[in-house]
Amino acid sequence: MKRQPRERRRRGIKVELQVRDVEMLTALARLRIARTAEIAALCFPGVRKDTVASRLRVLFDAGYLDVTTADRTSPNLYSLGPRGRDVVREEGGQVWPVPRGGLAHHLAIVRTWVALAATRIGGVRVELARPDWELRAEFGDRGLPIVPDLFAVLMIQGVEVPFAVEVDLATEPLHVLRAKLRAYAEVLARPAGLFGWQDFGLGLALGDDRRQAEIKALIAREWDGWSLVWTLDEGPDRQLHGLIAELQCPLTDSPCGQGRRSAVSAGGAMPALDERGGLSEE
């Protein structure tokens, strides 16, 4: 039997959307485009890979998803299809276009975002997360000194912990990262802080560990606040465990979450995993 090409829809496929399907489409609208692995981690935790792939294939065939493939060995990249865009609009969500040009940096931001949202550390969840494309859309041309690749507020044992995340794929020279660190340091010294948060940390998600030592040394020279550094393959969980111990949350005298007035809209909360394994807006 001839195998159907990944990028060609099978005709006549109809599907009855489940609650999790709608939640997945709504989440994918914010991610814009994502690999199967990120969709599975965020929307289908604990579900077998072949089951996830089968469901995504049916949703693609029915027009709810679009798929992009670079070559036969590359993973599928999913974005909203025509029917998926209609569903998101009916749910009151915003439909973002797929980024033009190279996708490596965008997909790395998505991978970082999902790794935080899907963490299984007890007492830790993402309260708010805004990628750079949402931040730029909200703040426009207000002359922001720095726009993070991802701005997140974690709830750690009842305490709000904001931090800005930069994704580094080693495609830019270190002096570019140095300039970003100095911009963050200047923002940290301002009364308004970053998007209204007076105390925030930095996260560096690296494509690999080739220049991890150099980046850590650079952070030590240019940044006075707390920071986390991890690789995309490693994920942030080990560093989050260390952050919990370092901040000693939820001590009442902890600096986390004090003196803040968020300028980021409440509608930017990251969809969080609910008890069904789906997504719900916090």
Side-chain angles (χ1 to χ4, degrees):
M1 182 176 179
K2 186 177 180 180
R3 186 176 181 180
Q4 183 78 4
R6 289 188 289 173
E7 67 279 6
R8 185 182 304 169
R9 303 188 203 277
R10 293 174 295 187
R11 296 181 179 180
I13 300 298
K14 296 182 179 180
V15 61
E16 182 177 346
L17 290 182
Q18 302 173 2
V19 173
R20 181 156 50 184
D21 296 327
V22 175
E23 293 171 335
M24 184 272 293
L25 293 171
T26 302
L28 185 57
R30 294 189 65 198
L31 301 176
R32 302 173 70 177
I33 188 168
R35 303 184 310 165
T36 305
E38 276 66 63
I39 296 175
L42 188 62
C43 307
F44 300 88
V47 179
R48 288 174 42 174
K49 292 181 179 180
D50 58 343
T51 302
V52 175
S54 177
R55 188 60 182 175
L56 295 180
R57 176 73 207 203
V58 169
L59 292 172
F60 164 69
D61 289 332
Y64 291 98
L65 296 174
D66 281 343
V67 66
T68 301
T69 56
D71 53 58
R72 294 180 61 183
T73 61
S74 299
N76 286 349
L77 299 178
Y78 286 99
S79 56
L80 293 179
R83 291 184 177 178
R85 292 191 287 272
D86 289 343
V87 169
V88 170
R89 293 189 180 104
E90 290 171 2
E91 293 292 314
Q94 181 175 357
V95 175
W96 294 85
V98 174
R100 296 180 178 180
L103 291 173
H105 191 257
H106 180 91
L107 292 173
I109 295 174
V110 168
R111 188 174 178 183
T112 301
W113 186 356
V114 170
L116 289 169
T119 183
R120 292 293 187 270
I121 300 176
V124 177
R125 66 178 176 85
V126 173
E127 184 180 59
L128 181 146
R130 304 295 302 277
D132 71 340
W133 52 93
E134 290 186 355
L135 292 169
R136 295 181 191 279
E138 179 169 347
F139 291 92
D141 56 356
R142 300 183 194 177
L144 296 174
I146 185 78
V147 178
D149 287 332
L150 180 70
F151 179 74
V153 179
L154 302 181
M155 184 67 74
I156 299 180
Q157 299 178 2
V159 178
E160 293 175 323
V161 181
F163 75 127
V165 182
E166 291 289 333
V167 173
D168 183 89
L169 300 182
T171 56
E172 296 178 327
L174 282 174
H175 71 78
V176 174
L177 180 57
R178 181 186 299 111
K180 291 181 180 180
L181 292 175
R182 290 177 177 175
Y184 280 119
E186 291 177 2
V187 171
L188 184 64
R190 297 180 179 182
L194 184 62
F195 305 121
W197 296 85
Q198 294 176 347
D199 297 300
F200 64 92
L202 288 182
L204 271 292
L206 312 183
D208 53 51
D209 60 1
R210 281 178 293 171
R211 57 181 191 176
Q212 185 169 154
E214 295 173 279
I215 287 176
K216 287 183 176 180
L218 187 60
I219 292 173
R221 291 194 302 269
E222 303 291 347
W223 177 249
D224 291 331
W226 60 267
S227 62
L228 308 177
V229 180
W230 67 89
T231 65
L232 294 177
D233 286 342
E234 174 190 18
D237 279 8
R238 184 168 62 87
Q239 285 70 25
L240 289 175
H241 278 294
L243 177 64
I244 294 171
E246 180 179 348
L247 297 179
Q248 298 182 353
C249 296
L251 296 180
T252 56
D253 60 349
S254 170
C256 305
Q258 293 185 2
R260 60 92 175 170
R261 183 188 298 268
S262 177
V264 177
S265 65
M270 175 67 194
L273 297 170
D274 65 14
E275 64 275 10
R276 297 190 312 276
L279 297 167
S280 61
E281 283 288 337
E282 290 293 318

